Amino acid sequence: DGGITQSPKYLFRKEGQNVTLSCEQNLNHDAMYWYRQDPGQGLRLIYYSQIVNDFQKGDIAEGYSVSREKKESFPLTVTSAQKNPTAFYLCASSQGRQSYNEQFFGPGTRLTVL
Amino acid sequence: AQSVTQLDSQVPVFEEAPVELRCNYSSSVSVYLFWYVQYPNQGLQLLLKYLSGSTLVESINGFEAEFNKSQTSFHLRKPSVHISDTAEYFCAVIPAGGTSYGKLTFGQGTILTVHP
């Protein structure tokens, strides 16, 4: 089955630690995205990548980093510089660069900072 | 820049009643519009979208939305809801063309709760 997988589903981290969230897709999509979801705030774009080895900052990139070394993988690192990292993180992908392309979402990772 | 406002954070309804989830947007350029649904602890699924053509768009599970350019709205409706429609619904927009590839702007979400 084609789709997007995110791991782990739940993640706990101590303050001051970096943590990496995994996102893999086997849809052969060019574009991939990371969103952060907080209650009552909808989804906010952290980073996006239109092609391998290229990525762009979204609206709330501070304290986060990404890489896109392979087409199917787009890991997100939450660094210790992110002041309020506890949230639900969603990865998405779309077939092309055109804005009408549907974005397909993974099941999400819930990060809790202790 | 675009912005999206979902006018109701929570909408409780009884089963088989009609429902409307309201969405207004602001943009200086033409946009495409989307409704996504999120079931608890899951990712988002596309419900329906408006790109061009007929302003009334429908989903396979009975939802419909109407694009109103003059009122900059894209309200979601269903004439008779089921318990299984209980979820959070997100309205989103994206500029039609240009360099904003894939940069969806989401509303805050509306939690629809269907009671028996």
Side-chain angles (χ1 to χ4, degrees):
Chain A
D1 284 336
I4 302 175
T5 57
Q6 291 186 243
S7 61
K9 189 174 177 67
Y10 298 95
L11 188 57
F12 297 89
R13 183 196 101 176
K14 291 183 179 179
E15 259 188 73
Q17 289 180 338
N18 293 357
V19 63
T20 297
L21 282 59
S22 169
C23 177
E24 304 276 334
Q25 56 99 358
N26 60 4
L27 300 167
N28 199 33
H29 285 173
D30 290 317
M32 297 186 74
Y33 314 84
W34 274 106
Y35 293 90
R36 171 182 171 137
Q37 183 178 11
D38 297 282
Q41 295 192 47
L43 279 72
R44 292 178 290 169
L45 183 65
I46 305 172
Y47 268 98
Y48 65 103
S49 168
Q50 300 294 334
I51 197 168
V52 175
N53 292 323
D54 184 54
F55 48 83
Q56 309 295 329
K57 291 182 179 180
D59 300 320
I60 55 165
E62 185 175 350
Y64 300 98
S65 66
V66 294
S67 63
R68 187 85 187 276
E69 298 176 359
K70 298 185 295 182
K71 187 175 184 178
E72 59 270 22
S73 178
F74 191 41
L76 173 75
T77 296
V78 184
T79 75
S80 56
Q82 169 49 234
K83 295 178 180 176
N84 185 21
T86 294
F88 192 49
Y89 290 87
L90 288 159
C91 178
S93 70
S94 63
Q95 186 167 16
R97 305 184 182 194
Q98 294 80 6
S99 53
Y100 54 74
N101 287 127
E102 175 185 350
Q103 291 187 24
F104 292 82
F105 285 80
T109 291
R110 189 168 297 280
L111 174 64
T112 303
V113 175
L114 305 172
Chain B
Q2 290 69 46
S3 67
V4 177
T5 302
Q6 292 183 239
L7 297 161
D8 305 291
S9 59
Q10 298 192 47
V11 174
V13 294
F14 287 107
E15 196 172 16
E16 297 184 4
V19 70
E20 178 180 78
L21 307 183
R22 297 179 292 169
C23 171
N24 286 97
Y25 70 93
S26 173
S27 177
S28 57
V29 299
S30 295
V31 294
Y32 299 135
L33 300 112
F34 304 81
W35 274 100
Y36 281 86
V37 59
Q38 183 180 35
Y39 299 101
N41 292 311
Q42 293 186 26
L44 277 67
Q45 302 171 32
L46 181 67
L47 194 58
L48 45 75
K49 63 183 177 183
Y50 172 78
L51 303 181
S52 64
S54 172
T55 57
L56 184 67
V57 290
E58 298 177 351
S59 72
I60 58 173
N61 57 354
F63 283 94
E64 63 179 31
E66 185 159 20
F67 170 54
N68 188 318
K69 188 174 182 180
S70 62
Q71 297 186 11
T72 59
S73 69
F74 191 52
H75 301 332
L76 182 70
R77 303 183 182 96
K78 189 170 186 180
S80 176
V81 294
H82 303 289
I83 297 287
S84 59
D85 293 323
T86 295
E88 189 163 14
Y89 293 79
F90 292 94
C91 181
V93 300
I94 191 169
T99 57
S100 297
Y101 301 117
K103 293 184 69 177
L104 282 167
T105 299
F106 285 86
Q108 303 92 326
T110 297
I111 297 173
L112 172 65
T113 304
V114 181
H115 298 283

